[in-house]
Amino acid sequence: MRIVVALVAAIGLALAGASASSAATGSSCNYGAPSHPFASWGDVASYTLVPGGSFESGAPGWTLSGGARVVYGNESYHANSWSDYHSLYLPAGSSATTAPFCVSLNRPTIRVFVANGGSSSSQLRVKVVFRGLLGILGILDGGTVRAGGSWQPSPIMLATLNAPLGTKAAQFVFTPTDSSGAWRIDDLYVDPWVNV
């Protein structure tokens, strides 16, 4: 009888561990199906589209200011879908903040397709806002991106960032750093598993 009880307890612990592992890899956050949108650039990590990150239904849940708006014209690689036709325009003085989304690991990694119709010296700043149950826990600098007039994938960003204790969700904020850029972003992906 003791052996049976011990066996049942061991199975229960194993199942709990599998459940915790599943939660840690994002299933508890309802991430979309993973894909490999940056494989052509040697990045074989599994990414999932950030909610509203394709801009095909506008920018639901996003906060847009300073003239940021969804425009016609998709990134040229159609990473999300060949039927996509929109992107997000970020003129000087604008900003765009994603809807909050669940993070179950401490190091979310993001990539996005970018193009800049303005000066080649212009930069796009990325910040990450970490949220807990009671509000904002921290705002950290994710770095800056440079791009030319043709669409290209951004570098891998936020790979070494650690979320503050108690983080339940994150938001990304995109802001041109100067008045000489005319930025567009499209198909924003997060790798919550950080498997690069």
Side-chain angles (χ1 to χ4, degrees):
M1 184 65 166
R2 285 185 201 168
I3 293 173
V4 171
V5 170
L7 185 58
V8 169
I11 291 171
L13 287 173
L15 290 174
S19 176
S21 173
S22 174
T25 57
S27 63
S28 65
C29 293
N30 298 317
Y31 289 118
S35 65
H36 302 92
F38 304 102
S40 296
W41 294 272
D43 179 359
V44 295
S46 295
Y47 289 87
T48 186
L49 198 66
V50 167
S54 70
F55 307 108
E56 293 308 303
S57 300
W62 288 53
T63 301
L64 307 179
S65 65
R69 63 188 182 277
V70 175
V71 296
Y72 185 80
N74 200 72
E75 52 88 2
S76 56
Y77 303 99
H78 292 271
N80 180 57
S81 171
W82 282 102
S83 63
D84 285 358
Y85 293 100
H86 298 91
S87 58
L88 185 67
Y89 175 61
L90 292 167
S94 68
S95 72
T97 304
T98 67
F101 62 92
C102 174
V103 287
S104 61
L105 290 184
N106 290 335
R107 294 170 29 185
T109 300
I110 67 167
R111 291 191 87 173
V112 62
F113 288 89
V114 294
N116 172 25
S119 168
S120 60
S121 65
S122 179
Q123 298 181 54
L124 182 68
R125 180 164 303 284
V126 181
K127 292 186 178 181
V128 60
V129 178
F130 291 113
R131 293 186 171 276
L133 294 176
L134 300 178
I136 295 175
L137 296 177
I139 301 174
L140 300 173
D141 189 354
T144 56
V145 177
R146 289 181 186 261
S150 298
W151 286 103
Q152 65 187 54
S154 73
I156 297 170
M157 295 180 285
L158 310 176
T160 60
L161 226 47
N162 289 321
L165 187 64
T167 295
K168 299 295 183 186
Q171 293 173 279
F172 297 113
V173 183
F174 297 88
T175 310
T177 62
D178 51 51
S179 60
S180 63
W183 287 88
R184 289 171 67 192
I185 65 172
D186 197 12
D187 292 346
L188 172 61
Y189 286 91
V190 62
D191 172 13
W193 304 279
V194 191
N195 54 8
V196 293

